[in-house]
């Protein structure tokens, strides 16, 4: 609920309602835009939780990237930002509180047509980002939300980075199960890191298990670096050959041979 601690949201314009969830830097609330009577989400980020320059960069990049990418049907829309000395507030399109991560944790694997529909929406969002020269760099199920009509919305652009013709990126960002091998190797990399992560998500949606698994972060990294992609028959028996072929092209160790988001989208003409 609204409190003295949250002065950066314009109290005249918005009424803060119940909490929807908590992330690394802040808390997300449902909020009401008084004039229009429309519901949105408000993400309140307390600056004291941002401990280093990387955290502070996240806070600057997220609204900038979201504004730059808007509007797109599969990218979470940013509606407003407020700032005071202690807090930055992002007013966002309201989604369901359950992310793809929650759905996969609760329900396990999805039927292929459902997984394909979500994969297509994710690739639509990615192709848009990449066409505008922005890599997300932290594609994972926790960052995939759903609106009331169950449309997928890519969110959390705090790790995003601009790239360009011949301009590569560096720095270890991402989340162990989903991070591309070239990132772990500390190499320069390009926007194809997002295609790898999306391939890992599609694999997990189809099977209920991640393709590269380990008991610790270093074991997961070792498995990612080996990139030994397998389709155990018991689990993948019902998954189509074109779906497995697409996964091989997305979860390809060599980024120069890895399919682009736009090329991957062209495989979905039948869905
Ligand atoms: P985040 O700080 O972005 O990681 O968000 C933390 C949690 O808040 C998420 O896991 C969701 O459950 C919820 N959440 C974030 N953004 C929204 C939104 N726009 N609409 C509804 N729930 C959200």
């Amino acid at each position: 609920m609204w409190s003295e601690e949250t002065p950066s949201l314009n109290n005249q314009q918005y009424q803060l309602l119940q909490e929807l969830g908590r992330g690394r830097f802040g808390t997300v609330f449902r909020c009401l835009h008084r004039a229009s009577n429309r519901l949105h989400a408000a993400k309140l980020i307390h600056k004291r939780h941002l401990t280093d320059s990387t955290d502070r960069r996240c806070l600057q990049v997220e609204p900038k990237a979201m504004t730059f990418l808007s509007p797109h049907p599969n990218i979470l829309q940013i509606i407003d930002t407020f700032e005071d000395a202690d807090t930055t507030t992002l007013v966002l399109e309201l989604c369901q509180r359950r992310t793809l991560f929650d759905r996969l944790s609760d329900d396990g694997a999805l039927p292929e047509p459902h997984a394909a529909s979500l994969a297509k929406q994710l690739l639509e969002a990615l192709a848009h980002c990449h066409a505008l020269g922005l890599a997300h760099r932290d594609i994972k199920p926790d960052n995939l939300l759903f609106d009331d009509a169950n449309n997928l919305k890519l969110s959390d652009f705090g790790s995003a980075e601009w790239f360009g013709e011949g301009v590569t990126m560096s720095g270890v960002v991402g989340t162990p199960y989903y991070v591309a091998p070239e990132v772990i190797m500390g190499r320069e990399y390009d926007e194809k890191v997002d295609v790898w992560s999306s391939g890992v998500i599609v694999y997990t949606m189809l099977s209920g298990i991640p393709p590269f698994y380990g008991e610790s972060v270093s074991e997961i990294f070792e498995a990612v670096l080996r990139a030994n992609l397998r389709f155990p028959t018991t689990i993948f028996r019902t998954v189509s050959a074109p779906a497995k072929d697409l996964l091989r092209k997305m979860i390809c160790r060599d980024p120069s041979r890895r399919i682009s988001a736009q090329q991957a989208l062209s495989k979905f003409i039948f869905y």
Side-chain angles (χ1 to χ4, degrees):
M1 282 302 226
W2 176 262
S3 78
E4 290 300 306
E5 253 195 288
T6 55
S8 79
L9 187 73
N10 187 327
N11 217 347
Q12 310 290 306
Q13 282 186 45
Y14 292 94
Q15 182 189 357
L16 215 61
L17 305 169
Q18 73 269 36
E19 185 178 316
L20 291 169
R22 282 169 194 241
R24 196 150 73 93
F25 300 124
T27 310
V28 181
F29 296 87
R30 192 186 296 266
C31 74
L32 177 73
H33 183 240
R34 295 178 197 274
S36 65
N37 217 23
R38 293 183 87 135
L39 288 168
H40 301 302
K43 184 169 176 174
L44 273 67
I45 301 159
H46 294 290
K47 293 180 185 173
R48 64 173 185 273
H49 293 161
L50 309 174
T51 51
D52 58 22
S53 56
T54 311
D55 290 354
R56 283 189 285 279
R57 180 191 177 277
C58 283
L59 185 59
Q60 284 169 358
V61 168
E62 182 161 29
K64 202 168 148 192
M66 290 176 94
T67 307
F68 181 68
L69 294 167
S70 279
H72 187 279
N74 299 115
I75 293 178
L76 189 71
Q77 204 186 329
I78 186 159
I79 291 154
D80 223 336
T81 55
F82 296 95
E83 174 137 26
D84 68 12
D86 306 317
T87 319
T88 297
T89 303
L90 311 182
V91 180
L92 305 166
E93 175 182 5
L94 180 65
C95 284
Q96 303 171 35
R97 61 198 303 180
R98 284 178 82 230
T99 65
L100 180 64
F101 177 85
D102 301 314
R103 291 185 181 201
L104 292 175
S105 307
D106 295 347
D107 308 334
L110 306 175
E112 185 170 329
H114 187 184
S117 158
L118 298 181
K120 182 167 184 278
Q121 294 177 68
L122 172 55
L123 288 166
E124 296 274 9
L126 270 196
H128 180 70
C129 296
H130 294 175
L132 293 183
L134 196 76
H136 182 284
R137 303 201 303 172
D138 195 14
I139 300 284
K140 57 181 175 180
D142 325 52
N143 289 339
L144 300 178
L145 301 171
F146 298 92
D147 68 10
D148 280 346
N150 268 327
N151 296 308
L152 178 143
K153 303 278 174 170
L154 177 59
S155 75
D156 234 322
F157 284 82
S159 301
E161 179 67 285
W162 274 267
F163 62 91
E165 196 72 31
V167 181
T168 53
M169 296 166 279
S170 60
V172 179
V173 285
T175 303
Y177 286 123
Y178 307 97
V179 73
E182 62 270 27
V183 176
I184 301 173
M185 284 188 269
R187 296 209 176 135
E188 303 245 299
Y189 53 81
D190 61 18
E191 73 283 6
K192 297 270 190 76
V193 295
D194 290 339
V195 176
W196 172 283
S197 309
S198 304
V200 172
I201 292 179
V202 179
Y203 184 108
T204 311
M205 288 195 291
L206 288 167
S207 66
I209 52 164
F212 310 115
Y213 180 78
E215 295 288 338
S216 63
V217 171
S218 58
E219 271 184 35
I220 298 169
F221 281 172
E222 280 167 27
V224 173
L225 289 171
R226 280 195 298 276
N228 183 12
L229 188 66
R230 286 162 172 236
F231 299 107
T233 327
T234 44
I235 299 169
F236 278 87
R237 200 181 47 246
T238 57
V239 174
S240 71
K244 285 183 228 171
D245 183 55
L246 178 61
L247 285 174
R248 281 192 202 95
K249 291 184 164 118
M250 293 176 77
I251 312 176
C252 168
R253 196 168 185 276
D254 177 357
S256 68
R257 291 178 47 238
R258 194 177 302 151
I259 199 169
S260 70
Q262 191 58 53
Q263 287 166 335
L265 257 185
S266 67
K267 308 278 177 197
F268 282 84
I269 47 175
F270 299 115
Y271 286 104

